[in-house]
Amino acid sequence: MHMTHRLDLFPDCAIVDPFQILVAANKAVHLYKLGKMKTRTLATEVIFNLSPNNNISEALKKFGISANDTSVLIVYIEEGGNQMNREHLISQVDGHQVSLENLPEITNVTEVRKIYKLSSQEERIGTLLDGIICRMATKDVL
């Protein structure tokens, strides 16, 4: 099974930390290599893995890109020595690049709490990111 270049676009509102994307992408690549993805493409599998539940269409609505999005997070997965021309990718986007350090400034935390159904009690025990990763990781078990 040969993995080609994959590119995912995510709206800004639901990503609080790059680790969130790393977890979703890692799980997607793992399932891709095992041939056990729940979706048809690796890009969709990454989006699906961000979701706190097992509904693929709901995941695409909440985490996929739409015409109304004003900012996106681009995730590129490559295999081995196959590398994409970064300058070419950036030239295809009408807008400007923002550092991941600025992610908290563009994240809608209220929307994130709503999507992941996080309570204030959970945030007293751990961080917002802890709650999100927990929801993402346990959806297959529950």
Side-chain angles (χ1 to χ4, degrees), residues 72-134:
V72 294
L73 176 65
I74 299 173
V75 175
Y76 176 73
I77 299 173
E78 60 185 41
E79 180 179 22
N82 299 334
Q83 293 188 349
M84 183 174 181
N85 183 337
R86 186 175 176 193
E87 286 73 32
H88 175 71
L89 173 63
I90 292 169
S91 73
Q92 302 300 306
V93 177
D94 183 19
H96 64 279
Q97 187 176 357
V98 177
S99 171
L100 283 176
E101 293 173 356
N102 298 341
L103 195 57
E105 296 170 17
I106 59 174
T107 299
N108 184 341
V109 176
T110 305
E111 182 67 18
V112 170
R113 285 187 182 110
K114 181 179 164 188
I115 289 170
Y116 288 98
K117 297 177 182 155
L118 296 169
S119 68
S120 57
Q121 287 179 318
E122 287 179 280
E123 286 191 62
R124 279 183 258 164
I125 296 169
T127 66
L128 178 64
L129 181 61
D130 291 340
I132 291 168
I133 299 300
C134 181

Side-chain angles (χ1 to χ4, degrees), residues 9-17 20-21 50 58-66 68-73 102-116 128 132:
L9 301 168
F10 301 100
D12 58 86
C13 72
I15 309 301
V16 298
D17 190 276
Q20 187 179 352
I21 295 290
L50 285 169
E58 189 177 317
L60 291 172
K61 286 177 190 171
K62 289 184 179 175
F63 296 96
I65 192 169
S66 71
N68 299 330
D69 292 325
T70 57
S71 57
V72 294
L73 176 65
N102 298 341
L103 195 57
E105 296 170 17
I106 59 174
T107 299
N108 184 341
V109 176
T110 305
E111 182 67 18
V112 170
R113 285 187 182 110
K114 181 179 164 188
I115 289 170
Y116 288 98
L128 178 64
I132 291 168

